[in-house]
């Protein structure tokens, strides 16, 4: 196994030099569980931990390694390897909670493409696809839509679905497959590029792990439709893993993100709804909300049928969520500021009292 087989390239090599990490081994994090990491390198696969210094200087979850990260480490004969540094990431898929101090969870790092996996039966939902797209755009990951389980519906229904998505999301590649009959697999295999990293995103039960297993030719992921509600805290693929395909592509499976919140995606909205973004330059009012204004270019396009009505409605919904999220964050920062001032004043008084 060479580093290149894991996706290593020239730009990573120059960051390694720039950061003076030539004395260390380089590896890629292929799994993570509670601050224990599995790192793969040309020397083999190792359990690893981060240095104490790295832990103490970490400000948030982003400062810890994640699946897909390139790390500089020291490998020992016995005991775990020690991770000294994370190489700069070129992309990062993350989640951000509104509560819990906006805690960030890094889903995966250094991803080139995301397969947005959605089953064509009960799972089919264009609004949700637009959410995942927005997540990709804000993470700087190129999206590819993969519809699964086409063996469960008629040929007519398949074309209906793909036509609908092509019209609504004209710039995003769409592949329809069956993991059962392997129809469409030739297209998936053709699209996977050597040295590029792909990650699977989509609801639980959509067929991500089955696809990954089939592509890899062996069973690396457990599959099945374990319901989240009946098996609290149990995820079939909670142990995320990165695998290398025969044709040189690198694949990462992820547990279904049960919902994609706007916090994860807000800076990607403009790209997902780029037609609306472009048109809004032609609205009469600069602060147009595209809801009822006269001379609104967006409303005109919706009326003419140039913009898909449900896509427009989804856009408004996500914009509202974004505004709400931003005001919640601002409010929390404000409260923290006020609270910080109270503490400061208290300390000041305390010092004064002690002096007196
Ligand atoms: N009929 C059919 N079933 C599928 C297909 N893909 C996956 N499944 C089944 O759907 C269930 C969930 O698949 P899994 O790969 O575990 O989904 P994941 O949660 O997205 O990883 C399993 O029982 C699979 O056998 C498909 O293309 N057609
Ligand atoms: Mg799975
Ligand atoms: Zn407008």
């Amino acid at each position: 196994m060479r580093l290149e087989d894991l996706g290593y390239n020239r730009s990573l090599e120059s960051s390694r030099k720039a950061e003076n990490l030539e004395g260390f081994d380089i590896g890629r994090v292929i799994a993570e569980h509670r601050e224990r990491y599995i790192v793969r390198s040309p020397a083999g696969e190792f359990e690893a931990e981060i240095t104490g210094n790295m832990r103490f200087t970490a400000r948030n979850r982003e400062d810890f390694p994640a699946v897909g990260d390139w790390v500089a480490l020291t490998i020992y004969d016995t005991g775990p390897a020690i991770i000294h540094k994370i190489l700069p990431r070129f992309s990062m898929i993350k989640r951000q909670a509104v509560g819990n101090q906006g805690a960030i969870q890094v889903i995966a790092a250094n991803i080139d493409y995301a397969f947005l996996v959605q089953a064509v039966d009960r799972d089919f939902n264009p609004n949700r696809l637009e959410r995942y797209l927005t997540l990709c755009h804000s993470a700087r990951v190129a999206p590819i839509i993969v519809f699964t389980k086409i063996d469960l519906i008629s040929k007519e229904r398949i074309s209906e679905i793909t036509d609908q998505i092509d019209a609504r999301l004209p710039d995003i590649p769409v592949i329809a497959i069956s993991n059962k009959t392997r129809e469409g697999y030739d297209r998936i295999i053709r699209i996977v590029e050597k040295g590029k990293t792909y990650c699977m995103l989509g609801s639980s039960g959509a067929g991500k792990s089955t696809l990954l297993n089939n592509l890899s030719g062996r069973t690396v992921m457990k599959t099945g439709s374990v319901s989240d509600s009946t098996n609290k805290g149990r995820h079939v693929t909670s142990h995320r893993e990165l695998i290398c395909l025969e044709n040189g592509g690198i694949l990462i499976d992820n547990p279904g993100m049960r919902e994609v919140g706007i916090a994860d995606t807000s800076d990607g909205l403009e790209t997902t709804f780029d037609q609306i973004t472009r048109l809004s330059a032609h609205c009469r009012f600069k602060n147009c909300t595209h809801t009822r204004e006269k001379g609104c270019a967006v409303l005109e396009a919706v009326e003419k049928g140039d913009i898909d009505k449900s896509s427009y409605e989804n856009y408004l919904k996500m914009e509202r969520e974004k505004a709400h999220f931003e005001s919640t964050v601002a409010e929390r920062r404000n409260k923290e500021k006020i609270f910080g001032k109270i503490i400061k004043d208290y300390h000041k008084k305390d010092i004064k009292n002690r002096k007196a």
Side-chain angles (χ1 to χ4, degrees):
M1 156 88 40
R2 301 167 313 145
L3 276 178
E4 286 73 23
D5 299 330
L6 288 165
Y8 199 69
N9 56 34
R10 259 189 240 139
S11 105
L12 283 158
E13 180 59 19
S14 24
S15 1
R16 170 192 186 164
K17 284 195 180 129
E19 309 242 351
N20 292 318
L21 297 171
E22 278 144 308
F24 293 101
D25 279 289
I26 295 289
R28 195 163 194 194
V29 177
I30 63 164
E32 179 254 311
H33 187 64
R34 295 177 186 225
E35 288 188 39
R36 304 278 289 187
Y37 307 92
I38 311 260
V39 177
R40 193 179 294 164
S41 82
E45 233 171 68
F46 301 91
E47 264 209 12
E49 289 172 7
I50 58 173
T51 61
N53 184 45
M54 212 170 149
R55 179 173 298 108
F56 292 121
T57 53
R59 287 150 302 165
N60 53 45
R61 195 57 197 77
E62 278 175 81
D63 294 333
F64 288 87
V67 174
D69 261 329
W70 289 96
V71 291
L73 77 170
T74 310
I75 297 163
Y76 296 101
D77 288 338
T78 54
I82 300 295
I83 296 172
H84 292 264
K85 186 130 194 162
I86 305 168
L87 266 61
R89 296 165 175 148
F90 64 80
S91 72
M92 177 168 34
I93 298 179
K94 56 188 181 182
R95 309 210 52 179
Q96 187 176 2
V98 175
N100 195 15
Q101 274 125 43
I104 283 172
Q105 178 198 358
V106 181
I107 304 275
N110 302 314
I111 307 295
D112 297 284
Y113 297 94
F115 287 131
L116 308 185
V117 183
Q118 199 166 83
V120 286
D121 54 350
R122 285 160 301 173
D123 194 30
F124 177 62
N125 183 328
N127 284 0
R128 183 142 32 83
L129 271 182
E130 279 172 349
R131 251 171 221 269
Y132 277 109
L133 279 181
T134 311
L135 178 82
C136 289
H137 291 138
S138 84
R140 307 197 180 290
V141 169
I144 299 163
I145 295 172
V146 177
F147 286 126
T148 57
K149 310 199 185 182
I150 57 169
D151 54 286
L152 296 178
I153 58 170
S154 68
K155 285 258 182 307
E156 292 73 40
R157 180 73 186 128
I158 299 168
S159 347
E160 225 176 85
I161 285 178
T162 47
D163 288 352
Q164 187 187 339
I165 294 304
D166 281 340
R168 185 157 159 178
L169 304 164
D171 304 324
I172 316 294
V174 177
I175 302 178
I177 63 159
S178 162
N179 286 318
K180 211 167 185 177
T181 67
R182 305 207 174 193
E183 197 182 334
Y185 265 47
D186 50 336
R187 290 194 60 207
I188 291 259
I189 290 165
R190 243 183 292 133
I191 216 170
V192 173
E193 293 170 49
K194 192 173 188 303
K196 299 285 182 196
T197 305
Y198 297 77
C199 133
M200 307 263 187
L201 292 175
S203 312
S204 175
K208 298 180 295 297
S209 301
T210 312
L211 174 60
L212 190 137
N213 285 341
N214 290 351
L215 289 175
S216 79
R218 56 209 154 102
T219 304
V220 279
M221 298 301 155
K222 278 189 227 155
T223 59
S225 35
V226 177
S227 139
D228 284 328
S229 54
T230 53
N231 287 277
K232 268 219 158 74
R234 223 187 105 200
H235 290 280
V236 184
T237 44
S238 66
H239 195 73
R240 303 199 279 271
E241 219 185 311
L242 175 150
I243 65 143
C244 300
L245 299 183
E246 232 164 68
N247 72 354
I250 298 127
L251 237 58
I252 296 179
D253 190 17
N254 286 122
M257 285 172 80
R258 246 180 281 170
E259 66 181 285
V260 184
I262 200 72
D264 314 318
T265 66
S266 51
D267 33 330
L269 270 182
E270 284 187 5
T271 317
T272 302
F273 300 98
D274 64 332
Q275 201 189 352
I276 293 181
T277 310
R278 266 184 280 123
L279 277 172
S280 45
H282 304 288
C283 295
R284 186 183 298 166
F285 303 109
K286 227 183 158 188
N287 59 349
C288 187
T289 61
H290 322 306
T291 49
R292 54 178 169 263
E293 290 88 347
K294 281 225 169 71
C296 171
V298 175
L299 278 174
E300 256 168 49
V302 174
E303 264 153 43
K304 269 197 278 176
D306 291 345
I307 292 180
D308 187 289
K309 183 117 196 285
S310 5
S311 179
Y312 162 75
E313 280 162 3
N314 196 29
Y315 163 80
L316 288 184
K317 185 163 181 280
M318 289 174 76
E319 273 293 334
R320 274 198 302 273
E321 274 178 50
K322 181 184 166 187
H324 175 73
F325 169 69
E326 280 165 359
S327 71
T328 317
V329 170
E331 204 176 293
R332 196 186 58 227
R333 294 236 170 90
N334 222 357
K335 272 190 196 145
E336 278 165 7
K337 238 190 243 161
I338 294 167
F339 186 64
K341 192 170 176 323
I342 292 171
I343 298 275
K344 236 193 198 155
D345 289 349
Y346 175 79
H347 281 305
K348 262 192 216 151
K349 268 189 212 141
D350 195 38
I351 290 166
K352 259 192 214 152
N353 288 345
R354 264 188 275 161
K355 276 184 187 156

